[in-house]
Amino acid sequence: MNRKIIVLDTTLRDGEQVPGAKLNVQQKLEFAQQLKRLRVDIIEAGFPASSQGDFQAVREIARSMGDSVGITALARAVKSDIDAVYESVRIAQEPLIHIVLGASNVHVEKKFNRSKEAVLQMGVDAVKYAKTLLPQVQYSTEDASRADFEYLWKTIEAVVRAGATIVNVPDTVGYAIPEEYGELIRKIHDRLKNLDDKVILSVHCHNDLGLATANTLSAVKNGAEKIECTINGLGERAGNTSLEETVMALKVRESLYRCSTNIDTTELLRTSRLLTHLTGLDVQANKAITGENAFAHSSGIHQDGLLKDKQVYEIMSPEDVGAESMELVLTARSGRHAVKHAIAKLGFDTSNTDAFEIVFQKFLALADAKKEVYDHDLYYLLNDQREQAEHASRLFELRSFQVVTNDLCPTAAVVLMQNGEELKGSAVGDGPIDALYTAIKTLTGLDVHLTHYKINSISRGKEAVGRVNIQLDFQGKTYVGRAMDTDIIKASGQAFLNGVNAVILDQKESVQAF
Ligand code: KIV
Ligand code: ZN
């Protein structure tokens, strides 16, 4: 009989630690709703002690998710962190406190500078305290793959006796290899089931050697009952275990693993695209399962084989991951009903008639400009619309601009609006974008530094929309700005301004929070 593997998604916690992937509360809620449609078992919604914004986001997610999904958030092994998790998740139907504490020698000695016994006691005390607040407590033995095994086991034994209901064994630095990690999980599994067979054994891997998915699968083969993953493998450094890869491997090779998950795999591609859209972090074209080319067969030999029988070169069908329903092509003649249907299919709420009408008018303008409108384009229309509605009067708006480019003296003239006031300026630069950015920067008066600029086309066709992602540094913090337009200079200017607006919003939020 198949074992059921519990899937915890940590995109909103471990994934969100990536520079530039910071989402606002509304975006996190939207993504959490999609994770619910994907049918993950548990959402790790954030690290509430880290900021007021994170606390608020976790609480909103806990409030709005209903009873089909568990909600957790991360705490270090200190009372104030555990309190913050408790206060933010308690309202959920199935709340869980997640505590993390280092277990390897290097963590104990270098990070804490304490004896092993003292660190172990910190973990036990933290679990005991968390248990006074909630019945479900997960304990993560950070850096477990580099820990001394007997100390690791001693820690696990002690926290289980203190009441932990889930023991998580992270490969925090992506050091493990599949055989070794599988063996570690097997040894822990054997002892844990003797100690208390109701305690769940969980795994959490990082991808520094490109082995996170392989290590997670090896752990499942050796007894892991719960896996922690992120969409698109987003996460610290090289990322975390990719949810879509692991879940599809378990499904495609079910007869080998004899395991299944609750995931609705037909929601995988939609979830991946939503994340890309919200964070601006693209998935590589040849990425397994969700990359642009994951189901594209280009060589003649392969195409010939496929025409004879799909099984010749296909181990899973695009429909299994929701690919066929992503092919939305709308035109200026598509009408309100079709556009509304397409937007709802992307997971957005269309019940507000006024808001929909604004989006529809933008859609018509875009469809006139580029003839065919794809789901990517709709995502951006919706995002633009929401950002404008949210921040209407407080921030800078790009009213008009002119750019002259030549090999002598590229120049830009810009008109911005702020609180009903018109601001005009001009600048020269090394090139047209540099001139445009210098003019905008001078008008806003913020000493931001451009650290990253990327332009690519979204969707297909020669009239494709250009999407610009930028990163700004302001006082050591990274901010992102994104924009799209059929005019790539305008998209560039707007993306820069969105980055500047993100700095201003962050400063306002920090002032309000403290
Ligand atoms: O990588 C890690 O060790 C973590 C823990 C908090 C589970 O993210
Ligand atoms: Zn991690």
Side-chain angles (χ1 to χ4, degrees):
M1 206 185 66
N2 273 358
R3 284 192 296 138
K4 187 65 96 191
I5 301 295
I6 301 167
V7 178
L8 176 147
D9 180 276
T10 182
T11 309
L12 291 173
R13 198 277 298 168
D14 220 335
E16 220 232 356
Q17 288 173 211
V18 171
K22 204 115 201 81
L23 305 179
N24 64 34
V25 176
Q26 186 52 41
Q27 290 171 322
K28 287 184 187 180
L29 266 171
E30 203 160 292
F31 189 69
Q33 292 291 356
Q34 180 56 30
L35 289 176
K36 189 174 163 185
R37 281 190 284 274
L38 182 66
R39 290 207 233 117
V40 303
D41 300 290
I42 305 173
I43 296 175
E44 183 163 48
F47 180 20
S50 68
S51 72
Q52 189 64 26
D54 229 47
F55 178 87
Q56 214 189 322
V58 176
R59 204 170 47 181
E60 287 307 312
I61 291 170
R63 196 198 305 279
S64 62
M65 279 302 120
D67 59 2
S68 63
V69 57
I71 303 292
T72 192
L74 185 66
R76 289 163 297 190
V78 291
K79 190 170 173 296
S80 53
D81 276 28
I82 296 170
D83 286 338
V85 170
Y86 172 64
E87 289 303 332
S88 58
V89 303
R90 58 189 287 197
I91 198 166
Q93 303 275 332
E94 285 190 50
L96 166 74
I97 295 175
H98 178 190
I99 297 167
V100 62
L101 188 63
S104 63
N105 288 355
V106 57
H107 274 236
V108 170
E109 286 157 17
K110 299 278 187 317
K111 202 163 136 181
F112 300 113
N113 195 18
R114 292 198 186 181
S115 69
K116 282 183 162 176
E117 288 64 33
V119 171
L120 194 153
Q121 193 56 45
M122 261 174 85
V124 168
D125 292 344
V127 172
K128 282 188 176 157
Y129 178 62
K131 286 291 279 191
T132 65
L133 303 173
L134 284 180
Q136 303 300 329
V137 175
Q138 165 165 317
Y139 189 89
S140 282
T141 49
E142 193 181 12
D143 205 16
S145 54
R146 293 194 301 168
D148 163 55
F149 181 76
E150 287 310 327
Y151 176 67
L152 177 64
W153 173 250
K154 214 169 136 191
T155 305
I156 292 174
E157 199 173 22
V159 296
V160 167
R161 290 196 200 286
T165 50
I166 304 177
V167 169
N168 189 34
V169 182
D171 178 27
T172 303
V173 289
Y175 175 72
I177 55 172
E179 296 76 11
E180 179 193 62
Y181 191 62
E183 182 55 18
L184 174 67
I185 297 304
R186 191 194 59 71
K187 272 162 71 183
I188 295 174
H189 178 264
D190 289 354
R191 292 193 187 186
L192 186 64
K193 294 299 146 178
N194 264 327
L195 179 66
D196 183 341
D197 65 0
K198 286 189 290 305
V199 175
I200 294 167
L201 180 56
S202 167
V203 290
H204 175 113
C205 297
H206 280 265
N207 203 32
D208 299 64
L209 294 172
L211 293 171
T213 298
N215 284 335
T216 302
L217 290 171
S218 173
V220 168
K221 194 97 192 85
N222 284 282
E225 298 157 299
K226 169 173 163 288
I227 57 176
E228 301 201 342
C229 314
T230 60
I231 299 298
N232 295 344
L234 194 69
E236 286 272 23
R237 308 178 309 278
N240 286 59
T241 301
S242 144
L243 185 147
E244 59 277 12
E245 290 172 13
T246 314
V247 164
M248 286 312 290
L250 291 176
K251 185 171 171 159
V252 171
R253 304 303 305 273
E254 193 178 338
S255 58
L256 179 85
Y257 287 104
R258 300 195 175 284
C259 292
S260 61
T261 68
N262 285 329
I263 297 295
D264 176 358
T265 62
T266 63
E267 290 290 333
L268 283 173
L269 198 52
R270 200 187 313 285
T271 316
S272 162
R273 296 264 166 93
L274 179 62
L275 185 66
T276 298
H277 154 72
L278 292 173
T279 60
L281 297 172
D282 287 323
V283 166
Q284 78 202 47
N286 60 332
K287 159 93 173 58
I289 316 295
T290 52
E292 194 77 17
N293 297 344
F295 293 94
H297 298 268
S298 51
S299 91
I301 297 174
H302 282 215
Q303 287 175 351
D304 180 60
L306 274 170
L307 287 173
K308 289 177 177 138
D309 188 328
K310 282 193 168 179
Q311 282 184 30
V312 176
Y313 285 111
E314 239 174 45
I315 58 162
M316 58 194 151
S317 68
E319 289 79 13
D320 291 343
V321 303
E324 95 293 3
S325 58
M326 299 306 294
E327 277 308 314
L328 274 166
V329 186
L330 298 166
T331 69
R333 281 198 289 274
S334 289
R336 284 180 177 73
H337 183 71
V339 174
K340 201 174 240 185
H341 177 73
I343 291 174
K345 241 175 136 188
L346 294 179
F348 290 83
D349 180 17
T350 53
S351 57
N352 182 328
T353 321
D354 292 345
F356 173 73
E357 196 50 35
I358 298 173
V359 172
F360 184 69
Q361 294 309 323
K362 286 188 171 183
F363 160 79
L364 286 180
L366 185 66
D368 269 347
K370 72 181 291 279
K371 313 295 182 261
E372 293 186 334
V373 175
Y374 295 88
D375 53 343
H376 278 79
D377 303 322
L378 283 179
Y379 271 134
Y380 277 85
L381 283 184
L382 292 159
N383 198 38
D384 251 29
Q385 158 64 10
R386 194 180 46 222
E387 279 182 3
Q388 277 176 21
E390 272 172 9
H391 314 313
S393 63
R394 294 184 287 164
L395 307 175
F396 292 103
E397 186 193 323
L398 184 61
R399 179 50 61 87
S400 68
F401 68 95
Q402 188 184 39
V403 170
V404 178
T405 184
N406 51 48
D407 54 2
L408 285 178
C409 191
T411 313
V414 175
V415 182
L416 300 183
M417 293 295 290
Q418 190 195 27
N419 290 327
E421 196 190 331
E422 205 173 65
L423 309 166
K424 289 183 184 169
S426 61
V428 293
D430 293 341
I433 303 293
D434 186 44
L436 183 64
Y437 284 5
T438 306
I440 294 176
K441 185 173 147 175
T442 310
L443 285 177
T444 61
L446 269 188
D447 190 21
V448 291
H449 298 278
L450 181 73
T451 52
H452 179 81
Y453 171 92
K454 189 168 102 185
I455 182 161
N456 50 5
S457 71
I458 58 171
S459 69
R460 283 158 281 157
K462 70 178 167 50
E463 283 105 357
V465 172
R467 180 182 67 190
V468 177
N469 288 313
I470 60 109
Q471 268 181 26
L472 297 176
D473 177 87
F474 182 70
Q475 297 180 345
K477 253 179 116 174
T478 301
Y479 296 88
V480 295
R482 290 186 281 278
M484 63 143 209
D485 204 283
T486 43
D487 174 342
I488 56 171
I489 304 279
K490 185 169 170 201
S492 300
Q494 190 61 59
F496 189 84
L497 206 53
N498 288 344
V500 169
N501 285 338
V503 175
I504 296 169
L505 276 177
D506 187 45
Q507 295 208 314
K508 288 190 179 176
E509 276 169 16
S510 312
V511 171
Q512 277 161 14
F514 297 103

